C-alpha cells in the first residue's frame, strides 16, 4: 500500500517495489487495491523463496497458490513469471506498462552475516523524502 501511494503521488517516476511471497500472501488485499487504482508507473517484483526467511524459514503457501493468477484477477496489466535469470533479464528488454507484477522464484538462503537495519524508520522516511525532492 505504501508503494501504491508513492506511485500515485509521483506519476512521472517509475516505481519498482520488491516484495516477498510471505508479505504478499499476508496482504492480498493490497493487490486488489493496486489493480483498482491502476498506476501505470508501478512494477511489483515478488521474490518467492517459499519461506518466511527472516523469521526462521517457515514455509509459506506460495507453492500452492498462483500468485500471477491472483495479480491478473486483481487488475495488474502486465504479468510475468521468472524461473531463471534469463527470464528475469528478458522482462526488462522492453517497456513495462503497469501496474506490472513480476513473480520471481528464488532459493532460500541469506548471507550468514546479514545484519539488521541500522537506521531508524524516521531516518528512512527523511532519506526517501530528500531523494524525491519533497523536503
Amino acid at each position: 500500500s505504501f508503494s501504491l501511494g508513492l506511485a500515485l503521488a509521483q506519476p512521472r517516476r517509475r516505481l519498482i517495489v520488491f516484495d516477498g511471497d510471505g508479505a504478499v500472501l499476508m496482504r492480498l488485499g493490497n493487490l486488489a487495491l493496486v489493480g483498482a487504482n491502476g498506476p501505470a508507473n508501478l512494477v511489483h517484483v515478488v521474490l518467492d523463496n517459499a519461506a518466511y526467511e527472516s523469521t526462521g524459514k517457515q514455509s509459506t503457501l506460495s507453492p500452492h497458490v498462483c500468485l500471477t493468477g491472483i495479480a491478473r484477477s486483481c487488475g495488474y496489466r502486465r504479468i510475468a513469471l521468472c524461473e531463471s535469470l534469463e527470464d528475469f533479464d528478458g522482462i526488462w528488454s522492453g517497456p513495462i506498462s503497469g501496474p506490472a507484477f513480476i513473480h520471481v522464484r528464488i532459493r532460500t538462503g541469506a548471507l550468514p552475516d546479514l545484519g539488521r537495519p541500522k537506521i531508524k524508520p524516521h531516518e528512512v522516511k527523511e532519506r526517501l523524502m530528500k531523494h524525491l525532492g519533497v523536503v
Side-chain angles (χ1 to χ4, degrees):
S1 59
F2 177 82
S3 61
L4 172 61
L6 192 53
L8 294 174
Q10 300 278 322
R12 291 190 176 101
R13 293 178 185 256
R14 180 196 277 185
L15 179 66
I16 301 172
V17 60
F18 289 87
D19 219 342
D21 56 302
V24 167
L25 288 168
M26 289 189 292
R27 297 175 189 90
L28 287 172
N30 286 337
L31 299 182
L33 194 58
V34 168
N37 281 277
N41 60 330
L42 180 64
V43 179
H44 191 170
V45 179
V46 177
L47 303 175
D48 181 358
N49 63 0
Y52 293 102
E53 183 95 32
S54 66
T55 62
K57 295 185 185 174
Q58 302 89 347
S59 297
T60 68
L61 294 173
S62 68
H64 308 284
V65 177
C66 181
L67 292 177
T68 55
I70 293 170
R72 180 173 280 108
S73 68
C74 286
Y76 280 76
R77 290 188 188 99
R78 173 112 188 256
I79 311 291
L81 173 62
C82 300
E83 300 196 69
S84 69
L85 285 175
E86 293 78 24
D87 290 347
F88 190 72
D89 285 343
I91 293 297
W92 306 101
S93 63
I96 297 177
S97 177
F101 186 89
I102 302 172
H103 182 189
V104 183
R105 291 206 175 113
I106 62 172
R107 295 188 307 256
T108 57
L111 298 172
D113 59 346
L114 184 62
R116 301 298 296 164
K118 293 183 178 19
I119 61 175
K120 296 179 174 147
H122 73 89
E123 294 170 321
V124 173
K125 177 195 82 165
E126 291 161 5
R127 185 174 66 181
L128 177 62
M129 290 176 71
K130 183 177 178 183
H131 175 76
L132 295 173
V134 293
V135 174

